[in-house]
Amino acid sequence: MLATVLTPLRLIFSKFVESYYSIAMRKHDMVPDHSFFEGLVACVAAIAPKDHYKNLEEGSIVLKKSKTFSFCEEGVHFEGECTPVKSDIVIFGTGFNGDQKIKDMFTSEYFRSIVVGSTSTTVPLYRECIHPKIPQLAVIGYSESLTNIYTTELMSKWISHFMDGGFRLPGVREMQRDVLEWEKFMKRYSRDYFRRSCVGIVHIWYNDQLCQDMGCNPRRKKGFFSELFEPYGPCDYVNLHPK
């Protein structure tokens, strides 16, 4: 009830952040099409490096928007530009095609067709780790969060505990229902970005699920008020003692 009543604060906070941080971004034509809240939901929000806007003002960083580019003797030629950008080194920051990498692990066409789902669904991984129809395969680190390193560590502990016989997976249908619940959440809050696997804004809830599966107490703080008001972080999950 409290979360529902305070829902308008989410919109207010998102709009405030957009209006404040977009001042410099608007000047350099960097404002994205999606909202700040959608960026958090889909883990497409980024922190600018130190002195980023200062370097833009000085001209040591030059931003170019172009669908195509080509190399020439002086450097790089962008579509619509008359003169090339002179450069000695070009670094390709192309990102990672995680879906394709998961598919490429299989020779079976059936597994390749089901492992990442369709373009209109989320990647169907139970607990962001295991495909309901391929329980012999665990995928660690595919889902992103605001702190990827310790999220991946918790996933690894969950998988290790499962392989050690600490708990059993639910049935295929139950795992598929759980995957659909996460898909509904992503579609509800992130429009075209829902396919991206991200637990950023439900990170603590996700950690609680892993802890409960392993038989650990999901409440990691000491004291009632600490549990309510202190932020959770990696140190809270150092000494996990699965049953």
Side-chain angles (χ1 to χ4, degrees):
M1 289 176 64
L2 183 63
T4 302
V5 171
L6 297 179
T7 296
L9 288 179
R10 184 185 66 210
L11 177 62
I12 294 171
F13 176 75
S14 178
K15 293 302 179 184
F16 170 75
V17 172
E18 289 172 25
S19 61
Y20 179 77
Y21 284 100
S22 64
I23 295 174
M25 296 174 71
R26 195 179 301 113
K27 183 177 180 180
H28 299 284
D29 193 24
M30 295 172 57
V31 180
D33 295 329
H34 57 270
S35 69
F36 173 76
F37 181 71
E38 288 175 317
L40 285 181
V41 171
C43 288
V44 293
I47 299 175
K50 183 181 179 181
D51 297 330
H52 176 68
Y53 293 107
K54 179 182 177 182
N55 292 330
L56 287 176
E57 296 289 346
E58 294 174 348
S60 58
I61 294 178
V62 180
L63 300 178
K64 295 286 184 180
K65 287 188 176 182
S66 177
K67 292 183 179 180
T68 61
F69 67 92
S70 58
F71 293 104
C72 59
E73 188 173 345
E74 291 95 344
V76 183
H77 189 273
F78 292 94
E79 179 184 18
E81 296 282 338
C82 297
T83 56
V85 175
K86 295 183 179 180
S87 57
D88 299 318
I89 300 174
V90 177
I91 301 174
F92 288 91
T94 57
F96 304 93
N97 192 347
D99 295 6
Q100 190 61 44
K101 288 183 178 180
I102 295 176
K103 290 175 66 174
D104 288 346
M105 289 190 287
F106 295 95
T107 57
S108 166
E109 288 299 323
Y110 172 71
F111 285 154
R112 288 172 62 90
S113 66
I114 67 170
V115 68
V116 295
S118 67
T119 55
S120 61
T121 65
T122 57
V123 176
L125 296 177
Y126 175 71
R127 295 291 192 262
E128 307 295 326
C129 293
I130 291 179
H131 193 289
K133 292 188 176 181
I134 318 174
Q136 298 88 348
L137 171 72
V139 181
I140 302 296
Y142 179 81
S143 182
E144 295 188 64
S145 70
L146 301 180
T147 51
N148 286 346
I149 295 178
Y150 97 84
T151 300
T152 300
E153 182 181 355
L154 270 179
M155 289 178 175
S156 301
K157 289 182 178 180
W158 185 83
I159 291 295
S160 298
H161 194 57
F162 164 64
M163 294 180 66
D164 199 36
F167 63 91
R168 297 186 64 180
L169 294 175
V172 173
R173 289 186 179 180
E174 187 176 342
M175 287 193 286
Q176 288 175 326
R177 281 196 297 268
D178 186 82
V179 169
L180 286 175
E181 286 298 317
W182 283 84
E183 181 176 317
K184 289 178 183 177
F185 167 77
M186 295 301 291
K187 286 183 175 180
R188 178 180 179 183
Y189 291 113
S190 56
R191 292 189 303 180
D192 299 333
Y193 299 89
F194 69 86
R195 183 167 170 80
R196 188 179 182 91
S197 189
C198 174
V199 296
I201 65 171
V202 288
H203 197 189
I204 306 303
W205 183 39
Y206 174 72
N207 292 346
D208 288 350
Q209 288 185 318
L210 299 189
C211 287
Q212 289 169 352
D213 289 344
M214 292 186 288
C216 301
N217 185 2
R219 296 185 178 183
R220 313 299 303 167
K221 297 293 185 182
K222 296 180 179 179
F224 176 77
F225 290 102
S226 296
E227 189 69 39
L228 280 179
F229 299 110
E230 288 185 9
Y232 266 78
C235 293
D236 295 303
Y237 299 94
V238 171
N239 297 315
L240 287 177
H241 299 292
K243 295 179 181 178

